[in-house]
Amino acid sequence: MKLALWQTHPRSSIASALTALREAATSAAAQGADVLITPEMFVGGYNIGPERIATHADHAAQVLDSLKSIATTQNIALVVGLTLPAHPLPHNACVVIDNTGTEVARYHKTHLFGDVDRAQFSVGAALSEVFDLAGWKVALAICYDVEFPELIRSLALRGAEVILTPTANMEPFDTINTRLVPARAEENGVYVAYCNYIGAEAQFTYNGLSCLSGPDGQDHVRAEKTEAMLFATLDRADLTRARQSQTHLQDRRPDLYGDIT
């Protein structure tokens, strides 16, 4: 599976986001990508206030139709951050649309970050499903989620081989991108794709540094703090080798951990 991680700046409207996404999908597909990943809350922006988030959630059905059209037309799967309706506030979500235009997964962010998330979103009630995409066992996380080792460990124990993570990480938290994301990959023997924004939105300055970290903890690709389209191919032989030498999942002692999974 060849991934395209689109490190780009926020768009402040649904229309501009979808136009840019169609262009990015066209470019990524032309370079052989099977899956294009966007940052967190890409369709219309992230740090835009609860009123605009609620308005965007009202258009979720039309947005999903547009995503399915883009995926089908460009013959590429999409992993897209957007808001979805919920009560009392919408969800910070991502959806996976395969290259036939079929929605194969959706996930609501389960770990809300700070006042911005809590003012705009309802918390998700369940971790991602583990689902099939392009021949791999895939699961989802969103931004702050990946900073909780229990979440990634749970997904790995349920069979995930790849964790796709739209994010909107900002200054000064560079070590999340450069240290914690590779650690989550290595300690669980999984690939972690971490696709971030660049640029500014309200008080946030996004720090880029998107990456695909391999199951050995090494970066397969890493962006700087500029706009970029990154490409990386998952290798099942690399996954097998890593899991033969890194046996953390098999060597766990859950009998000692109490309520910690």
Side-chain angles (χ1 to χ4, degrees):
M1 178 164 59
K2 185 174 182 178
L3 300 179
L5 285 75
W6 186 27
Q7 180 169 290
T8 188
H9 66 275
R11 269 71 175 183
S12 59
S13 74
I14 290 175
S16 61
L18 292 175
T19 296
L21 179 61
R22 187 175 295 277
E23 294 171 356
T26 302
S27 175
Q31 297 183 66
D34 300 299
V35 181
L36 172 66
I37 309 170
T38 78
E40 179 180 8
M41 289 292 297
F42 174 73
V43 182
Y46 166 51
N47 186 17
I48 59 175
E51 293 81 11
R52 290 182 64 200
I53 291 290
T55 298
H56 289 178
D58 290 339
H59 296 280
Q62 300 97 304
V63 169
L64 290 169
D65 285 343
S66 294
L67 298 181
K68 292 172 182 178
S69 172
I70 293 169
T72 303
T73 303
Q74 304 307 327
N75 191 33
I76 190 170
L78 302 175
V79 180
V80 180
L82 76 167
T83 188
L84 294 176
H87 180 78
L89 296 170
H91 283 306
N92 180 332
C94 63
V95 296
V96 182
I97 310 293
D98 72 13
N99 65 331
T100 72
T102 301
E103 182 181 323
V104 296
R106 67 171 61 185
Y107 169 67
H108 306 144
K109 188 176 184 180
T110 52
H111 295 76
L112 299 184
F113 176 76
D115 293 340
V116 167
D117 264 3
R118 293 185 180 93
Q120 298 186 132
F121 306 113
S122 291
V123 66
L127 299 186
S128 169
E129 302 172 20
V130 177
F131 57 93
D132 293 326
L133 184 66
W136 289 77
K137 297 293 186 182
V138 178
L140 303 169
I142 298 175
C143 197
Y144 194 40
D145 288 332
V146 82
E147 300 176 38
F148 292 83
E150 302 90 343
L151 184 146
I152 305 301
R153 174 58 49 86
S154 177
L155 297 175
L157 289 171
R158 287 159 51 197
E161 299 167 321
V162 189
I163 315 294
L164 304 180
T165 311
T167 188
N169 195 31
M170 69 288 292
E171 303 288 357
F173 303 117
D174 288 13
T175 56
I176 304 305
N177 315 45
T178 60
R179 184 165 60 201
L180 288 193
V181 170
R184 293 295 90 86
E186 183 171 6
E187 68 195 4
N188 292 291
V190 296
Y191 286 97
V192 178
Y194 188 77
C195 186
N196 197 19
Y197 275 129
I198 197 69
E201 192 179 43
Q203 75 270 34
F204 292 158
T205 299
Y206 298 114
N207 64 355
L209 301 173
S210 299
C211 64
L212 177 70
S213 292
D216 58 358
Q218 298 299 310
D219 287 344
H220 285 233
V221 65
R222 169 76 66 177
E224 300 295 332
K225 296 189 177 187
T226 58
E227 295 216 14
M229 180 77 80
L230 306 179
F231 294 93
T233 300
L234 309 186
D235 187 321
R236 193 165 295 284
D238 282 348
L239 181 70
T240 299
R241 280 192 296 270
R243 290 184 167 184
Q244 287 171 343
S245 61
Q246 293 152 221
T247 57
H248 302 98
L249 297 186
Q250 300 96 298
D251 297 338
R252 295 169 63 250
R253 289 287 309 278
D255 55 306
L256 303 179
Y257 306 152
D259 292 334
I260 301 174
T261 57

